[in-house]
Amino acid sequence: MSQQIELTVGALLDDIAGKFPDNEALIYVERGLRYSYREFNERCRQVAKGLLRMGVKKGDHLAIWAYNVPEWVVLQFATAKIGAVLVTVNTSYKSAELEYIMKQSDSKFLFLVQGFKDTDYIRTLAAVVPELAESEPGKLESRDLPFLKHVVFLGEGAPAGTINFEKIVELGREVPDAELHAVEKTLSVHDVINMQYTSGTTGFPKGVMLTHHNLVNNGFNIGECMRFTEKDRLCIPVPFFHCFGCVLAVMACVTHGSTMVPVEIFDPLKVLQAVEKERCTALHGVPTMFIAELEHPRFPEFDLTSLRTGIMAGSNCPIEVMRRVIRDMHASEITIAYGQTESSPVITQTRTDDPIELKVSTVGRVLPNVELKIVDIESGAELPPGKQGELCTRGYLVMKGYYKMPEETAKAIDADGWLHTGDLAVMDENGYCKITGRIKNMIIRGGENIYPREIEEFLYTHPNISDVQVYGVPDRKYGEQVMAAVVLKQGSEMSEAEVKEFCRGRIANYKIPKYVRFVDSYPMTASGKIQKFKLREMAIRELQLEENI
């Protein structure tokens, strides 16, 4: 087994900036922004010192609610340099989800942009924290979010009650380097520095606690699987708030001195323009992103011959799409990765020289320094190659646990340190894994993990709904769509449109059921358990979705 990296995220950046000071670290094509590794590290240090001046202590929780703006990447390293925990908030979240995460995470700071797509973040925050507009910046006293003290605006100006991000940079100039060094000396690679929320099977998202050690080593091994060097340039259209963005992209680059070329909000044309202009050698995305790029009417205009590799993940890749990515996008060494937030996140990955058949039929083999086994769901016994069971993993990649949820943590990680993924898989004799299903009823729609329980809990709050079961049905474009089977209360009436309208603006758009059907009862087992697989089978027949499977 190769040696593990024993560096904090901040020390890693110092090390890489020392080795490749003039290499380009971060490029924003549309903003004309370019940082070398020396400049990027200096910017991160400045922000880290500014946060210290604002009273941030090691272990404090700071939330960020933003798409792929430059401040996001800077904060990922600045917070790590002082041992603060960066809490990532899904850009699609609405008021109920924001309030839950800010409350559950005990976040003292919230960094946010003006808004994203159909959501005005400032207005959404005002609904959760009405005291903000009248409060002096830094002295917020919120009844519902007592921990929250500072709201920092990423953009021009500063809405009422907030301070602008550049103010933190200015404050950093007043802090001597020695003060930052003193804090850095107190950090351990096993400290938690990142918290990402994964939708909960119990109805509420769980804060996955990830350490320096988790992220640095996972990022390094992901980059190794793509054969990254300091000469690689990765176009990043996947969101930073997901592990896909902040680990498979950012950490894979920084561990190798490679160049990051983010796209702020996914747009296939902007991706194609960035790849051509910056001669990117790698590109990440979920299959739907690659499809949108390949099918863009202006696709033939772009010279993508610089592309070599990248990662496709989030859902299965159709073979025809893979063929086109290799042939028409020139990414002959594209890889497939599989994992989950709890494993920081990648467990298996294909390698650059794997044949196309393995890239479309498997999720690759286990990463270096990681253990993997397939176990019998009933007995827990390890299974031989070719037998289906639950995929379990152990090693540096396993999370510290769920924040303030010890019972949930104990369910996920057993006494021997094995993380139980809840995914059904088969491994062949060469170690290549196929994911064959899920023990939990998770829905994966266009790379977004959706836990039915969370939507069910929300819909239960409607006065007309007596019971609801949410499950996934196949969809050609997104892999799966959300469907709800609703039992109404006696004497109540409701339409499909009313169910959707109730959700709109209160839960993320991608969680709103695409299909709603009203039923009197559910198919049950003899012991009274609802059989969701039967509901799914019935829906596939009724909606004639057979060809989408």
Side-chain angles (χ1 to χ4, degrees):
M1 283 203 171
S2 55
Q3 198 60 42
Q4 291 187 27
I5 301 169
E6 299 291 335
L7 289 174
T8 64
V9 167
L12 168 80
L13 182 56
D14 289 341
D15 181 55
I16 294 294
K19 283 180 185 160
F20 309 108
D22 301 320
N23 216 24
E24 289 181 308
L26 186 63
I27 295 170
Y28 276 80
V29 175
E30 288 189 279
R31 293 178 183 237
L33 177 78
R34 286 175 188 271
Y35 287 138
S36 67
Y37 266 98
R38 185 195 290 111
E39 291 164 337
F40 178 61
N41 191 31
E42 195 39 55
R43 176 88 173 166
C44 296
R45 289 171 56 78
Q46 199 82 4
V47 172
K49 291 193 291 183
L51 292 171
L52 288 176
R53 176 49 53 97
M54 289 185 77
V56 177
K57 303 266 190 298
K58 174 183 166 179
D60 282 352
H61 291 188
L62 285 62
I64 180 162
W65 195 23
Y67 45 87
N68 293 4
V69 290
E71 294 91 340
W72 213 115
V73 206
V74 170
L75 280 165
Q76 183 174 345
F77 289 89
T79 51
K81 279 179 182 287
I82 58 173
V85 179
L86 190 66
V87 178
T88 65
V89 184
N90 189 316
T91 49
S92 300
Y93 275 1
K94 307 288 193 214
S95 57
E97 296 151 320
L98 175 72
E99 182 175 2
Y100 169 78
I101 280 186
M102 293 303 293
K103 215 177 253 180
Q104 206 279 334
S105 68
D106 301 323
S107 288
K108 290 189 175 180
F109 277 65
L110 175 62
F111 296 85
L112 81 174
V113 289
Q114 180 65 53
F116 177 70
K117 292 187 175 170
D118 61 345
T119 308
D120 183 318
Y121 288 0
I122 300 295
R123 196 174 294 160
T124 303
L125 182 61
V128 178
V129 188
E131 304 93 340
L132 179 66
E134 303 300 319
S135 79
E136 200 184 317
K139 297 197 175 153
L140 178 60
E141 293 294 334
S142 164
R143 191 197 67 190
D144 293 331
L145 301 179
F147 264 86
L148 184 62
K149 295 299 170 200
H150 298 268
V151 177
V152 182
F153 188 66
L154 311 177
E156 296 291 314
T162 74
I163 66 160
N164 189 278
F165 182 78
E166 289 303 320
K167 178 80 177 152
I168 298 176
V169 182
E170 283 166 35
L171 288 170
R173 296 197 178 100
E174 303 167 12
V175 178
D177 286 346
E179 202 174 313
L180 177 58
H181 286 311
V183 174
E184 286 181 303
K185 282 198 186 102
T186 69
L187 306 182
S188 156
V189 295
H190 299 294
D191 292 337
V192 173
I193 45 129
N194 185 277
M195 219 156 84
Q196 308 208 13
Y197 276 80
T198 181
S199 294
T201 45
T202 49
F204 293 104
K206 302 188 283 276
V208 175
M209 298 187 287
L210 301 173
T211 67
H212 297 275
H213 197 61
N214 290 148
L215 303 183
V216 169
N217 284 283
N218 205 243
F220 176 75
N221 284 308
I222 290 161
E224 288 291 285
C225 287
M226 292 183 281
R227 296 196 303 116
F228 263 13
T229 71
E230 73 278 6
K231 299 206 165 35
D232 279 292
R233 299 164 76 81
L234 171 66
C235 180
I236 311 171
V238 292
F240 290 148
F241 71 80
H242 267 173
C243 277
F244 202 166
C246 68
V247 186
L248 284 78
V250 173
M251 293 308 296
C253 282
V254 175
T255 49
H256 290 80
S258 310
T259 305
M260 299 173 271
V261 185
V263 173
E264 293 187 38
I265 297 169
F266 175 69
D267 175 328
L269 182 60
K270 286 179 181 169
V271 173
L272 296 168
Q273 288 168 334
V275 170
E276 179 181 74
K277 183 169 188 299
E278 294 303 326
R279 307 303 293 148
C280 291
T281 60
L283 172 62
H284 284 3
V286 295
T288 48
M289 287 179 171
F290 282 99
I291 292 165
E293 290 146 16
L294 287 161
E295 292 182 352
H296 194 278
R298 290 182 57 192
F299 178 79
E301 293 174 30
F302 293 93
D303 176 4
L304 308 178
T305 52
S306 58
L307 279 179
R308 172 182 69 81
T309 188
I311 295 175
M312 204 184 299
S315 58
N316 291 344
C317 174
I319 190 159
E320 201 37 56
V321 176
M322 181 60 80
R323 280 205 184 103
R324 289 201 59 199
V325 169
I326 291 170
R327 183 187 69 219
D328 303 344
M329 294 180 103
H330 308 282
S332 58
E333 297 183 5
I334 191 92
T335 66
I336 299 286
Y338 154 80
Q340 54 185 207
T341 313
E342 290 87 342
S343 56
S344 63
V346 175
I347 302 168
T348 66
Q349 193 170 346
T350 59
R351 307 310 198 254
T352 53
D353 55 356
D354 280 337
I356 188 169
E357 292 72 34
L358 285 175
K359 290 180 182 179
V360 294
S361 66
T362 79
V363 290
R365 53 195 165 91
V366 72
L367 288 187
N369 293 323
V370 172
E371 293 178 82
L372 183 151
K373 64 178 180 178
I374 310 290
V375 302
D376 185 279
I377 296 163
E378 301 298 321
S379 70
E382 188 166 350
L383 295 170
K387 293 281 185 207
Q388 176 180 274
E390 183 182 18
L391 191 150
C392 299
T393 188
R394 183 166 70 175
Y396 71 78
L397 75 177
V398 175
M399 65 171 177
K400 199 84 172 234
Y402 296 119
Y403 185 60
K404 297 195 302 192
M405 291 185 178
E407 286 166 15
E408 294 293 329
T409 302
K411 280 184 208 163
I413 305 168
D414 68 25
D416 294 321
W418 288 95
L419 173 71
H420 290 250
T421 64
D423 286 327
L424 294 170
V426 174
M427 183 163 63
D428 70 18
E429 49 287 341
N430 299 316
Y432 284 82
C433 294
K434 281 183 190 182
I435 304 302
T436 52
R438 291 184 291 279
I439 299 169
K440 307 173 194 141
N441 294 304
M442 187 171 71
I443 300 163
I444 301 182
R445 180 193 178 277
E448 291 279 10
N449 290 357
I450 302 169
Y451 286 86
R453 189 78 187 151
E454 193 182 345
I455 304 169
E456 290 164 0
E457 296 276 358
F458 174 74
L459 288 173
Y460 282 138
T461 64
H462 193 285
N464 293 354
I465 292 176
S466 162
D467 202 354
V468 59
Q469 292 295 318
V470 171
Y471 46 97
V473 292
D475 183 79
R476 185 161 282 175
K477 182 176 179 187
Y478 291 102
E480 285 185 296
Q481 287 284 7
V482 180
M483 176 148 190
V486 176
V487 176
L488 292 174
K489 286 183 181 164
Q490 200 76 39
S492 292
E493 284 185 14
M494 211 175 171
S495 69
E496 186 170 345
E498 284 170 322
V499 172
K500 293 179 184 180
E501 194 50 48
F502 177 67
C503 299
R504 206 156 281 126
R506 298 180 70 192
I507 61 171
N509 290 347
Y510 67 85
K511 295 178 191 170
I512 297 174
K514 179 175 169 70
Y515 306 105
V516 179
R517 58 195 286 262
F518 297 96
V519 296
D520 297 324
S521 61
Y522 302 118
M524 301 271 200
T525 64
S527 60
K529 282 191 179 156
I530 293 165
Q531 296 174 301
K532 279 196 179 179
F533 72 94
K534 284 204 172 161
L535 284 170
R536 178 182 159 96
E537 285 167 5
M538 284 154 54
I540 290 167
R541 276 199 308 276
E542 283 172 24
L543 298 166
Q544 299 179 323
L545 301 174
E546 287 88 353
E547 76 275 12
N548 291 350
I549 298 173

